[in-house]
Amino acid sequence: AIKTLNLKREFDADEQENVLQRFFREAEAAGRLHHPHIVTIYDAGEANDMAYIAMEYLTGTDLRFYTREDSLLPPLSVVKIGMKLADALAYAHSNNIIHRDIKAANVMYDPQSGQLKITDFGIARITATSQTQTGVVKGTPYYMSPEQFSGEKVDGRSDIFSLGVMMYQLLTGSLPFYADNPAALMNKIMNVAHPDPREINPKIVKPLIMILDKALAKERAKRYQKGAQMCTHLRQTGEKIDQLMAARKKKQG
């Protein structure tokens, strides 16, 4: 698959060189990531005023399809998806790369093959370098962390918050924070607690509620500090759900 950026059409002449350099830096950063749940980048280049990134071709569809009320996945499937994504983020963060725009549209899923891949590290930054700036808001508003809205320097815990938003949406078909205008949305994300997802989907088990609550904590210090911690809790919860389902089948049989 080829992702392109038309420099002349998208940017003024005095911006093009800077954008091109940034594009290549970010492609190089993403290209250093080799994980089963992160899209593989093969090459990046420029031809005829068109910058491009060559990446692996993915089958299936993005996770937005599974955020609709009429096409929600079983909670156990969402737990397994969350576990794999938390592990992928832990790997990226260990390489000093933050995605900054984790959302359903940036995760490709093929239920037939089980393939699951985070895509579009296009606005990722290498946090160990001076390229990371404070005061620069990047991301999709509904999935953004409180610190992204406040313009603070972000770290991996911001991606964890966004993953929490996405898992909430996959489990309920609703966003945890919604408003008709950016100012109201910012206020909700920064100051208002998310609704109890069990009010929307009673099938969500209590351990999973606790994981969502921790991932969506307003204060970074109260959130999961590492993706690996979230991954472990999701794995344990998945095992409990498996045991409950097995016990229920045995009782019915």
Side-chain angles (χ1 to χ4, degrees):
I2 308 290
K3 182 175 183 178
T4 61
L5 179 66
N6 189 314
L7 296 167
K8 279 192 172 179
R9 189 180 64 199
E10 301 289 342
F11 301 97
D12 295 334
D14 59 343
E15 293 181 295
Q16 289 173 18
E17 184 59 31
N18 181 48
V19 168
L20 185 64
Q21 293 304 315
R22 196 170 75 236
F23 183 87
F24 287 140
R25 279 200 305 267
E26 291 164 2
E28 180 187 6
R32 294 212 315 265
L33 299 178
H34 301 286
H35 187 278
H37 303 301
I38 296 175
V39 66
T40 301
I41 305 296
Y42 296 119
D43 188 25
E46 179 193 10
N48 302 321
D49 298 313
M50 188 83 74
Y52 66 86
I53 296 178
M55 61 187 74
E56 67 177 308
Y57 178 78
L58 302 176
T59 57
T61 184
D62 66 60
L63 284 179
R64 282 179 297 185
F65 176 80
Y66 301 100
T67 62
R68 300 188 331 217
E69 284 185 37
D70 60 349
S71 57
L72 295 181
L73 295 164
L76 182 58
S77 296
V78 177
V79 167
K80 290 178 178 178
I81 285 172
M83 186 178 73
K84 292 172 181 177
L85 297 180
D87 184 66
L89 289 175
Y91 168 77
H93 299 160
S94 71
N95 282 275
N96 296 319
I97 296 174
I98 303 166
H99 189 286
R100 296 173 183 258
D101 198 22
I102 292 295
K103 58 183 178 181
N106 280 340
V107 180
M108 290 290 289
Y109 178 55
D110 186 343
Q112 300 300 318
S113 64
Q115 177 184 264
L116 183 77
K117 300 270 187 176
I118 300 175
T119 66
D120 201 0
F121 274 81
I123 60 170
R125 292 288 184 275
I126 304 173
T127 60
T129 74
S130 60
Q131 291 160 21
T132 297
Q133 298 175 344
T134 57
V136 178
V137 175
K138 297 273 188 183
T140 303
Y142 294 112
Y143 292 85
M144 283 168 61
S145 64
E147 57 269 24
Q148 280 177 293
F149 272 111
S150 62
E152 298 173 56
K153 184 175 178 180
V154 303
D155 56 31
R157 292 172 292 182
S158 181
D159 283 345
I160 288 172
F161 184 93
S162 301
L163 177 57
V165 172
M166 188 175 72
M167 286 192 64
Y168 186 107
Q169 193 181 18
L170 289 168
L171 288 162
T172 65
S174 300
L175 287 159
F177 309 104
Y178 183 82
D180 292 328
N181 63 76
L185 177 63
M186 180 173 69
N187 179 60
K188 281 193 173 182
I189 289 175
M190 296 184 73
N191 302 306
V192 180
H194 57 275
D196 185 339
R198 284 173 297 188
E199 294 176 3
I200 308 169
N201 182 357
K203 294 180 182 177
I204 304 173
V205 296
K206 189 174 180 181
L208 190 46
I209 299 292
M210 294 170 67
I211 290 171
L212 290 176
D213 287 348
K214 192 169 181 66
L216 292 171
K218 309 289 187 190
E219 295 178 39
R220 283 187 277 192
K222 294 181 179 178
R223 219 175 286 159
Y224 284 107
Q225 301 300 290
K226 303 284 183 183
Q229 296 171 324
M230 187 173 179
C231 180
T232 297
H233 283 177
L234 284 166
R235 182 179 291 110
Q236 292 168 347
T237 299
E239 290 168 357
K240 288 178 184 176
I241 294 174
D242 264 333
Q243 291 166 4
L244 285 170
M245 289 172 66
R248 197 172 295 146
K249 279 184 181 178
K250 189 176 180 181
K251 192 175 180 180
Q252 290 172 347

